Amino acid sequence: MNRFYSGFWKALLVAAFMASTLAGVAAAQDDQCSLAVVSRLAAKGQKVCDGKLVKELAEQGHAFEQNQLGIASVLAIGPDYSDAEALKWFTRAAEKGYAPAQVNLAVMYANGWGTSPNYGAALNWLHTAAAQRFARAYTNLGILYLNGKGVHQDYTEAVRWFQLGADAGDSDAQTNLAYMYGNGLGCAKDLSAELAWYRKAAASGNPLAEHNLADMYLRGDGVAQNPAEAFRLFQRAADHGHTGARIMLGSLYDEGIGTKRDLATAYMWLSAASLGGDQRGRERLVALEARLNSAQVSEARERAQQLQFASGRQLTA
């Protein structure tokens, strides 16, 4: 299972928009409000408005609402949304100096969404947001250097940016920094630092950190082996939609490690991962199906579909 954000921008896109929205909420004024369709990202007490009002505010030049429309557009929440619309709204907000939109615009340029791929533009907007000490910009700059995208691959520089993001509270930066320490990339290998940063990110509900920390407990890598704690953390990551954790959870239920053996539940979690596009547990899934009766298989599949539907809605928001 991957233990860092190797998927680069695409793996971080939803997280980037989530962090950006929350940052916008923190700085919001009384006349700013979140789109109802992305209201799950709004802070407690944040005003939620319908699309018509948000668009009116965006047209009047409010950067927060412009960024909101960009988020809705790139996620194609409605028929009137598109990548081109997202690029337009992010650009307008970014040019007003709004850091969350600057990071989102960088994501658009890096992926070539609504425009031709342009790493130069992506770097420019990330550095502009980083100059405002916006944590997500630090994190994405670290990913650029980690993967050598638009820049020469430089693990030391990646660690520097991840450290800035981690210190600023970005859980993705904390997760990637833990990975760098665990593998001695751009820094001295330090399992205690790896464990500490995974724990910090997992405490924030970061699913990859939960998965990776669970893996450490399962193998006894840098920490005392604890199958029960591994199971608990895999469960949290699986509940947050991490398909790798769902496969591991299915395996633990299948083998009775850290929990009571339950073949039907194992089949359900492996099916949920498969529905999420992760086929790495397919062989075990087929073997389990041969050991269950048709009623058990049918019920487990239905539970997996319900779980996947709920996860899909959450990720879209």
Side-chain angles (χ1 to χ4, degrees):
M1 304 296 177
N2 290 336
R3 297 186 69 191
F4 74 108
Y5 285 104
S6 59
F8 186 45
W9 294 99
K10 191 165 289 187
L12 285 177
L13 177 63
V14 174
F17 288 139
M18 289 173 69
S20 298
T21 303
L22 290 172
V25 169
Q29 302 298 319
D30 291 339
D31 61 345
Q32 294 180 322
C33 54
S34 172
L35 267 171
V37 291
V38 292
S39 61
R40 291 191 185 195
L41 306 183
K44 184 177 181 180
Q46 173 64 26
K47 186 178 179 181
V48 176
C49 306
D50 62 25
K52 182 179 179 181
L53 178 55
V54 170
K55 190 167 185 178
E56 287 178 0
L57 290 170
E59 293 286 5
Q60 292 169 17
H62 292 263
F64 181 86
E65 280 73 21
Q66 291 169 343
N67 189 58
Q68 287 280 298
L69 287 179
I71 293 170
S73 296
V74 80
L75 293 177
I77 289 174
D80 297 330
Y81 297 124
S82 67
D83 286 351
E85 279 291 299
L87 187 75
K88 179 188 76 173
W89 289 117
F90 287 146
T91 298
R92 290 176 63 174
E95 289 175 347
K96 291 181 179 297
Y98 190 55
Q102 291 168 349
V103 171
N104 289 338
L105 184 58
V107 172
M108 300 293 287
Y109 276 117
N111 281 299
W113 292 336
T115 184
S116 299
N118 187 334
Y119 279 107
L123 279 165
N124 174 66
W125 284 115
L126 285 178
H127 279 293
T128 301
Q132 299 186 58
R133 299 182 180 180
F134 187 63
R136 177 59 57 172
Y138 298 147
T139 305
N140 285 352
L141 282 166
I143 294 170
L144 281 172
Y145 281 101
L146 175 63
N147 290 281
K149 299 291 186 179
V151 294
H152 290 295
Q153 189 175 51
D154 187 332
Y155 292 151
T156 301
E157 189 67 1
V159 167
R160 185 176 78 84
W161 287 112
F162 288 146
Q163 186 72 62
L164 286 169
D167 290 340
D170 187 276
S171 67
D172 293 335
Q174 293 166 352
T175 301
N176 280 350
L177 184 61
Y179 177 84
M180 303 300 274
Y181 274 120
N183 291 273
L185 298 175
C187 57
K189 187 171 183 176
D190 186 337
L191 295 183
S192 63
E194 177 189 23
L195 182 65
W197 282 114
Y198 276 144
R199 281 175 170 167
K200 193 171 185 67
S204 298
N206 186 291
L208 182 54
E210 292 166 345
H211 172 277
N212 292 356
L213 185 58
D215 188 52
M216 293 182 75
Y217 276 111
L218 185 63
R219 296 184 293 110
D221 182 12
V223 67
Q225 191 173 35
N226 189 334
E229 180 64 3
F231 174 84
R232 185 186 74 83
L233 288 163
F234 278 132
Q235 178 76 66
R236 283 181 56 183
D239 288 340
H240 289 150
H242 192 285
T243 59
R246 290 178 173 184
I247 291 172
M248 290 302 300
L249 197 60
S251 301
L252 294 179
Y253 271 116
D254 183 15
E255 298 176 25
I257 297 175
T259 187
K260 184 178 179 181
R261 196 176 195 188
D262 187 333
L263 301 188
T265 300
Y267 187 88
M268 184 272 289
W269 282 112
L270 290 166
S271 295
S274 181
L275 288 171
D278 195 332
Q279 303 300 323
R280 289 174 293 176
R282 184 64 186 171
E283 185 175 341
R284 186 185 291 267
L285 189 63
V286 172
L288 276 169
E289 187 167 341
R291 296 152 64 189
L292 297 170
N293 61 45
S294 58
Q296 290 174 313
V297 169
S298 179
E299 181 182 357
R301 285 177 176 172
E302 183 177 350
R303 289 168 61 198
Q305 289 173 346
Q306 293 173 347
L307 183 66
Q308 184 60 23
F309 175 73
S311 297
R313 288 174 61 87
Q314 183 176 13
L315 288 173
T316 298

